[in-house]
Amino acid sequence: MDLKGKLVGIGTKILENMEGNTTIVVDPTKETINLDDKVDDFINWYYINMVKGNYTDIGEYHYPRAMRNLIEKIAVWYELRYPSYEVNRLMPGSGQEEINVSEVMFNNNPYVTEVLDKKKNEMRISWDDFYNTGVFINSLPWEERCYFDSPKYSRMVYLDTDSRIGQLYLTKYYGYVEAAINVTSYTNSVVKDEELVGLNIRDVIKKFQEKGIKLPKNNELEMIIKKADKWIQQKEGILDCAMYRIIERGGNRIGPRRAFLFAKEFDRDINIPIMYAVDFSDPGLLLFMNEFIKAGGNKGLRCYVNYFSRASSTEKMDTITVQELILTKKNDVSSFYTSQDEELKQRTNDSTNQDDCETKRQEVIKQLRF
């Protein structure tokens, strides 16, 4: 189905076949587990809210494809910045390669050593700091770099577009009121011009509501806020989808760990990588869960079990909470247990009576986990 045939309504997704004129309604309350579906959902949202009606037919076809390519480029950049062996060094999950990306990129790079004449003196440059977010974004062409900009606000808006009464002059970024003209007259002195100077446009709306001032339908003030909100939602959607692709591309161990680094750096939801991280063969799983908890993660988070071992995208997934995982996970590699895990294991095994053991276990859980 062509992207032009996909319509997203409030609370319901409607996919319309333009040729067959049939409509399929998808239940929005049904949880989307498949990571690829999450990316598709965002591309559909992007098409409906940011593309459709704003470009020619050619643009409407190509812009969603370009957006998908940008998402993939971000995921690939993060893989280059944190190769699997570097991710594994930070959060062990499998055998460690004896390779250091900073050494490869700088000290063992003939071009770098020749240009900087550092053959004898090792350079202390960290690759992940060198290839940082700012450098990556600034290296993008304008048509991709612009998506990371803050939303822009119109320099002047009218409270009433028809009457052209009540003007606000705004800063280009962040939407603060620099000057207000004839607002006093428009509101019959309920809100005076000088009261609005320095306020954010959202606070202006709030003040009008508090004072009982009703703005006309589809007024410029609320329209510009909705436009800014969509731009912010678009930016956050791009980052979220990059995180989904990082998980999917990296596989059962590296994917969630690399995405966890991404989530912390870009202020995304750290729960999401953990939800896809449960692989019972992973010797470093407990350490990873502890990293999650130290970062403020929720122990009650319910995770999918062996997501990457599914036979199909529709296969039903078992789940387990982080808390249950920590208390029941068996691990043959003793170095992967924390001191608290070892203490819990030892103290719960001391009792020969199963009931007494369970009682002690719950007491220790309360002491060590809460």
Side-chain angles (χ1 to χ4, degrees):
M1 183 188 301
D2 187 81
L3 281 172
K4 290 186 67 176
K6 295 183 178 180
L7 302 177
V8 180
I10 298 176
T12 304
K13 298 176 183 177
I14 301 177
L15 283 68
E16 181 179 87
N17 186 317
M18 301 300 288
E19 295 181 358
N21 200 30
T22 58
T23 299
I24 303 172
V25 179
V26 182
D27 183 1
T29 62
K30 186 176 180 180
E31 183 180 17
T32 300
I33 296 175
N34 193 45
L35 290 166
D36 288 337
D37 289 344
K38 291 178 182 289
V39 177
D40 290 341
D41 287 346
F42 170 72
I43 296 296
N44 293 342
W45 176 91
Y46 168 71
Y47 171 74
I48 294 300
N49 289 276
M50 310 302 285
V51 176
K52 184 174 172 60
N54 295 320
Y55 300 95
T56 64
D57 288 349
I58 295 174
E60 290 189 4
Y61 173 72
H62 283 284
Y63 270 93
R65 294 163 62 89
M67 174 59 74
R68 195 181 291 274
N69 289 338
L70 173 60
I71 290 168
E72 202 71 13
K73 183 181 291 188
I74 297 170
V76 170
W77 158 65
Y78 221 69
E79 288 180 15
L80 293 173
R81 189 179 176 200
Y82 291 101
S84 58
Y85 48 83
E86 290 297 328
V87 173
N88 196 47
R89 193 190 314 281
L90 294 169
M91 290 175 285
S94 56
Q96 179 64 53
E97 293 184 54
E98 291 186 4
I99 184 172
N100 183 296
V101 68
S102 296
E103 292 285 326
V104 172
M105 293 297 179
F106 301 114
N107 292 326
N108 299 333
N109 186 331
Y111 176 76
V112 172
T113 55
E114 179 181 349
V115 171
L116 299 181
D117 193 24
K118 294 287 186 179
K119 292 183 178 180
K120 295 182 180 180
N121 300 316
E122 288 189 357
M123 289 171 287
R124 302 301 180 187
I125 304 177
S126 171
W127 169 247
D128 62 307
D129 290 333
F130 181 85
Y131 200 13
N132 60 66
T133 302
V135 168
F136 169 70
I137 292 175
N138 290 334
S139 71
L140 295 173
W142 176 85
E143 60 268 21
E144 294 178 334
R145 190 172 65 249
C146 67
Y147 288 110
F148 295 92
D149 291 342
S150 298
K152 297 180 179 67
Y153 294 83
S154 301
R155 297 291 285 159
M156 183 186 71
V157 295
Y158 288 100
L159 301 184
D160 190 325
T161 308
D162 294 331
S163 66
R164 298 276 172 167
I165 298 177
Q167 300 162 257
L168 296 179
Y169 290 86
L170 308 175
T171 59
K172 183 178 181 180
Y173 294 100
Y174 306 111
Y176 284 93
V177 179
E178 292 183 316
I181 300 175
N182 292 328
V183 174
T184 303
S185 174
Y186 180 79
T187 63
N188 294 320
S189 298
V190 175
V191 176
K192 295 181 171 58
D193 293 342
E194 56 270 23
E195 291 182 58
L196 302 183
V197 176
L199 292 183
N200 183 271
I201 189 173
R202 299 172 191 275
D203 294 324
V204 172
I205 293 287
K206 189 180 297 183
K207 180 177 281 292
F208 284 168
Q209 292 173 342
E210 291 172 351
K211 299 287 187 178
I213 303 297
K214 291 186 178 180
L215 294 171
K217 187 177 180 180
N218 297 325
N219 64 84
E220 289 185 353
L221 211 56
E222 292 177 325
M223 288 176 64
I224 199 173
I225 290 176
K226 289 178 181 178
K227 184 178 179 181
D229 286 344
K230 283 185 179 181
W231 185 266
I232 294 170
Q233 188 175 350
Q234 172 186 258
K235 181 178 178 180
E236 293 183 344
I238 292 171
L239 294 174
D240 282 340
C241 286
M243 180 170 61
Y244 303 148
R245 292 300 299 140
I246 288 170
I247 298 171
E248 194 76 80
R249 290 172 59 92
N252 60 335
R253 297 183 188 177
I254 296 299
R257 285 168 168 81
R258 184 183 285 127
F260 183 68
L261 295 173
F262 185 89
K264 290 199 296 181
E265 180 171 357
F266 288 91
D267 197 26
R268 311 321 304 153
D269 186 356
I270 62 172
N271 289 329
I272 292 174
I274 303 303
M275 290 171 65
Y276 294 88
V278 178
D279 166 16
F280 288 129
S281 68
D282 181 355
L285 186 57
L286 288 181
L287 277 184
F288 189 21
M289 292 298 142
N290 282 334
E291 285 295 318
F292 169 66
I293 292 170
K294 286 191 293 184
N298 176 18
K299 297 174 188 175
L301 176 68
R302 191 158 289 279
C303 307
Y304 307 119
V305 176
N306 295 326
Y307 172 82
F308 288 93
S309 298
R310 298 175 303 162
S312 72
S313 61
T314 58
E315 181 177 321
K316 186 177 180 181
M317 301 293 300
D318 293 329
T319 63
I320 188 172
T321 66
V322 172
Q323 179 75 359
E324 291 169 342
L325 181 65
I326 290 174
L327 297 177
T328 60
K329 172 79 168 81
K330 295 183 182 297
N331 199 317
D332 294 332
V333 184
S334 60
S335 62
F336 283 129
Y337 278 108
T338 66
S339 59
Q340 287 188 344
D341 292 323
E342 289 291 355
E343 183 180 358
L344 176 61
K345 181 181 177 182
Q346 181 63 42
R347 291 171 65 180
T348 54
N349 286 339
D350 284 343
S351 174
T352 56
N353 183 284
Q354 187 173 359
D355 292 336
D356 290 343
C357 180
E358 180 59 27
T359 301
K360 285 187 177 182
R361 182 180 180 85
Q362 293 304 322
E363 291 175 353
V364 173
I365 291 171
K366 186 174 181 180
Q367 293 173 14
L368 298 181
R369 300 297 183 193
F370 295 95

